[in-house]
Amino acid sequence: EDQVTQSPEALRLQEGESSSLNCSYTVSGLRGLFWYRQDPGKGPEFLFTLYSAGEEKEKERLKATLTKKESFLHITAPKPEDSATYLCAVQAIGTYKYIFGTGTRLKVLA
Amino acid sequence: EAQVTQNPRYLITVTGKKLTVTCSQNMNHEYMSWYRQDPGLGLRQIYYSMNVEVTDKGDVPEGYKVSRKEKRNFPLILESPSPNQTSLYFCASSLTGGYATSPLHFGNGTRLTVT
């Protein structure tokens, strides 16, 4: 069964303290892995798509990487405005479903 | 502005009273989908549509109906709502859900309470 697990569930960082969020996935064949940011009361906002192991994408303080079993979202020198829930999702080859993890709630303290 | 629009944002209703949540996208996307989000369970797919007149069940379709008569619209229908359908609902669309994947774009959500 296709599955996505994110860790940790919650993370508190001091401003400037870099860290990584983990997304472990199990799919029969990966079509794409997606990272989203979700602010309270809003819909998820798309950040990155990764397609194959070894691929990396960057946007401001965020960098996403992908291996055959997991993806990491690295946050470098975070700021309070980076506080949000970060969601990971996968789509498997041969399906039209997007499967989401339960997310990591990130709080960055000033 | 490219967007997915859901209405209403908030809805309180009683058990058994039929309701419809509308969803419209202006990006000419082929693929549309409905999710519900519950604490500790994350986003779970209710129904999806690969293109007009083609829909399929997601992981939690019981108690819901959808239709895709036009490319831009994908309403979610609860024929007889029950309290366990109290949740935050999101509509999403993507350029294509087919062989070439693309990211989902989400609406701002509908918070439904069934008493």
Side-chain angles (χ1 to χ4, degrees):
Chain A
E1 181 184 346
D2 299 334
Q3 195 170 349
V4 176
T5 303
Q6 291 188 246
S7 61
E9 283 188 22
L11 182 63
R12 291 166 68 93
L13 299 173
Q14 292 294 323
E15 185 172 3
E17 180 186 2
S18 301
S19 187
S20 296
L21 313 182
N22 178 264
C23 171
S24 297
Y25 64 92
T26 305
V27 292
S28 50
L30 182 68
R31 176 176 284 165
L33 183 142
F34 308 90
W35 281 99
Y36 290 85
R37 170 193 170 125
Q38 186 176 21
D39 293 301
K42 294 194 173 182
E45 175 187 345
F46 170 68
L47 294 172
F48 303 110
T49 305
L50 301 167
Y51 296 101
S52 58
E55 191 174 359
E56 300 181 351
K57 294 271 180 75
E58 283 189 69
K59 180 179 179 180
E60 296 181 356
R61 295 177 293 282
L62 300 177
K63 179 180 177 180
T65 62
L66 181 65
T67 73
K68 289 187 177 180
K69 292 184 178 181
E70 56 191 351
S71 176
F72 292 94
L73 185 66
H74 306 278
I75 303 177
T76 302
K79 299 182 177 182
E81 53 261 42
D82 294 321
S83 297
T85 296
Y86 291 86
L87 301 172
C88 172
V90 300
Q91 191 180 39
I93 292 172
T95 78
Y96 292 92
K97 293 183 180 182
Y98 295 76
I99 300 168
F100 282 81
T102 53
T104 294
R105 293 190 313 278
L106 174 66
K107 178 75 172 175
V108 181
L109 304 171
Chain B
E1 180 189 353
Q3 59 186 2
V4 177
T5 303
Q6 294 178 231
N7 281 297
R9 288 295 310 277
Y10 302 91
L11 180 57
I12 300 173
T13 190
V14 296
T15 299
K17 186 175 181 182
K18 181 180 179 179
L19 65 91
T20 299
V21 184
T22 64
C23 174
S24 180
Q25 51 92 5
N26 63 0
M27 296 171 280
N28 202 37
H29 283 173
E30 294 286 340
Y31 182 95
M32 296 187 74
S33 183
W34 276 101
Y35 292 83
R36 62 178 288 174
Q37 188 173 38
D38 301 289
L41 296 177
L43 281 162
R44 293 180 293 167
Q45 194 168 35
I46 302 171
Y47 270 95
Y48 60 95
S49 170
M50 290 77 80
N51 49 49
V52 176
E53 300 293 0
V54 181
T55 63
D56 205 352
K57 296 177 181 179
D59 295 317
V60 289
E62 294 79 19
Y64 305 95
K65 286 177 59 177
V66 293
S67 68
R68 186 94 181 272
K69 294 187 172 69
E70 308 167 274
K71 196 173 188 178
R72 63 183 292 130
N73 295 323
F74 191 47
L76 179 70
I77 302 159
L78 284 71
E79 295 271 3
S80 183
S82 62
N84 64 11
Q85 292 179 298
T86 292
S87 187
L88 180 58
Y89 291 86
F90 288 102
C91 180
S93 70
S94 73
L95 185 60
T96 173
Y99 69 92
T101 192
S102 55
L104 289 167
H105 298 265
F106 285 84
N108 273 330
T110 296
R111 186 167 292 281
L112 172 65
T113 301
V114 184
T115 62

